[in-house]
Amino acid sequence: MSVELSIVIPAYNEEESVVPCYWEVIEALKPLGKSYEIIFLDDGSTDSTFEKLNELSKTDNRLRVLKLRKNFGQSAALRAGFDHAEGRYIITMDADLQNDPHDIPLLLQKLESEDFDVVCGWRYSRKDTFSKKVYSKFANYLRKKLTHEQIHDSGCTLRAYKKECVNNLELYGELHRYIPAMLGWKGYRIGEIKINHRERQYGKTKYNWKRLFRGFLDLLVVAFWERYSVRPMHVFGGAGLVFGFLGFIISMYLGIMRLVYGRGLSDRPLFLVGILLIIVGVQFLATGVLADILLKIYYGQNGRKNYLI
Ligand code: UDP
Ligand code: MG
């Protein structure tokens, strides 16, 4: 039996929140009159999150509970949810009651009426700790600078998607924060609406500074990938040629000094610099060629395409 909507909710040690979260979602979806499934991903919880959900699922066959073997992280849990979702539209949200399920109909309405492929929530009045809000401001600022995607709040997971746009989306590490950017490169249309955000009632945030820092490193990968993944040779090769050329000029200069004016090379640090630049230049060129070959192999595999229709 296929359904219209899949609600995908990762939960990691949220034993107090998951049951109220389930009821809130049910309540919010009622007026829509659409068929739906709710998929909870227990992301390796060590508390009773899974038991609570499992118990609940015996009373409602629209509720599906998947248990990840260990804590793989929110990105991996979302990917697992996407892989198992059967709905034409997918909604993702958090299990900790910070998102308000009553925003789901608004997201869907925007998705359908304005023909977006994904509509993202914007927590314009965010209820988190001061340090988290500051970090988030900084991260959002950097992301806007480094990627071509400009929505306000990339860290908010309350979003509505058309199923097809997440089909081949690679999600690992902390990449869920950059889903809008990744979908943007593929040419999908991205919208956003302001949503309600609430304070965490139970448990605590799963994101410490270490994890947030990893998220920041993932941003660099994402930004680099966006710009250069198609032709790495353009960046590595370009840098290699510039370095190599500088090294060549220096060597020529030193060579002329030596041959014409008889100046020795042993007391000239520049000699070392010239040689180094040539070596680095050759290395960069080689890296560029290698990266290009890797991509050729990647796209040469069955079904890998560098375009979407
Ligand atoms: N989460 C998860 N796996 C993790 C970390 C978090 O499934 O490794 C879930 C968590 O249970 C919650 C959502 O992802 O439902 C968002 O996490 P959290 O509320 O800690 O993030 P914050 O709101 O503080 O940014
Ligand atoms: Mg939260």
Side-chain angles (χ1 to χ4, degrees), residues 241-258:
L241 284 180
V242 170
F243 288 146
F245 182 69
L246 282 177
F248 176 71
I249 298 284
I250 291 173
S251 305
M252 286 294 282
Y253 164 73
L254 291 176
I256 289 169
M257 294 303 269
R258 171 86 183 84

Side-chain angles (χ1 to χ4, degrees), residues 110 116 119-122 150-153 190-194:
K110 178 117 179 156
F116 284 112
V119 176
C120 306
W122 168 19
Q150 298 298 323
I151 64 161
H152 287 88
D153 183 8
I190 300 161
E192 80 178 331
I193 57 169
K194 289 182 179 177

Side-chain angles (χ1 to χ4, degrees), residues 261-274:
Y261 303 102
R263 274 210 62 178
L265 293 174
S266 54
D267 61 341
R268 308 219 56 176
L270 200 58
F271 182 51
L272 196 67
V273 174

Side-chain angles (χ1 to χ4, degrees), residues 92-105:
T92 55
M93 60 180 277
D94 293 349
D96 59 358
L97 304 170
Q98 286 197 269
N99 296 140
D100 183 350
H102 291 97
D103 284 320
I104 294 176

Side-chain angles (χ1 to χ4, degrees), residues 120-289:
C120 306
W122 168 19
R123 300 165 290 184
Y124 67 101
S125 153
R126 205 170 152 181
K127 303 289 186 308
D128 273 318
T129 58
F130 177 72
S131 62
K132 217 157 177 220
K133 282 194 276 198
V134 170
Y135 171 84
S136 187
K137 274 236 151 43
F138 168 69
N140 275 313
Y141 169 81
L142 260 186
R143 168 190 49 86
K144 284 191 204 163
K145 287 265 173 248
L146 291 176
T147 73
H148 289 112
E149 173 264 314
Q150 298 298 323
I151 64 161
H152 287 88
D153 183 8
S154 186
C156 175
T157 32
L158 180 57
R159 300 186 191 122
Y161 306 83
K162 286 183 181 154
K163 167 83 168 138
E164 65 264 23
C165 55
V166 294
N167 276 346
N168 294 313
L169 190 66
E170 281 185 54
L171 283 182
Y172 52 85
E174 305 294 334
L175 286 182
H176 61 275
R177 291 170 198 282
Y178 311 111
I179 290 179
M182 295 192 284
L183 291 179
W185 314 331
K186 296 187 178 198
Y188 288 116
R189 275 169 49 84
I190 300 161
E192 80 178 331
I193 57 169
K194 289 182 179 177
I195 53 149
N196 190 13
H197 193 241
R198 306 180 294 192
E199 272 174 38
R200 203 179 231 283
Q201 293 185 36
Y202 310 102
K204 50 180 196 251
T205 176
K206 306 302 176 305
Y207 290 96
N208 51 24
W209 284 100
K210 197 164 125 198
R211 234 168 153 174
L212 289 173
F213 184 65
R214 280 195 217 139
F216 168 71
L217 292 182
D218 277 345
L219 170 62
L220 299 184
V221 173
V222 165
F224 190 80
W225 185 248
E226 171 179 20
R227 255 161 244 206
Y228 306 117
S229 64
V230 184
R231 292 315 305 274
M233 185 60 185
H234 291 183
V235 57
F236 289 114
L241 284 180
V242 170
F243 288 146
F245 182 69
L246 282 177
F248 176 71
I249 298 284
I250 291 173
S251 305
M252 286 294 282
Y253 164 73
L254 291 176
I256 289 169
M257 294 303 269
R258 171 86 183 84
L259 293 177
V260 180
Y261 303 102
R263 274 210 62 178
L265 293 174
S266 54
D267 61 341
R268 308 219 56 176
L270 200 58
F271 182 51
L272 196 67
V273 174
I275 299 275
L276 270 180
L277 278 173
I278 290 177
I279 295 175
V280 168
V282 171
Q283 290 287 336
F284 265 59
L285 263 177
T287 309
V289 172

Side-chain angles (χ1 to χ4, degrees), residues 229-233 288-302 304:
S229 64
V230 184
R231 292 315 305 274
M233 185 60 185
V289 172
L290 266 179
D292 256 30
I293 291 173
L294 275 179
L295 275 183
K296 272 207 177 61
I297 296 172
Y298 176 78
Y299 286 119
Q301 281 171 353
N302 279 342
R304 297 278 191 197

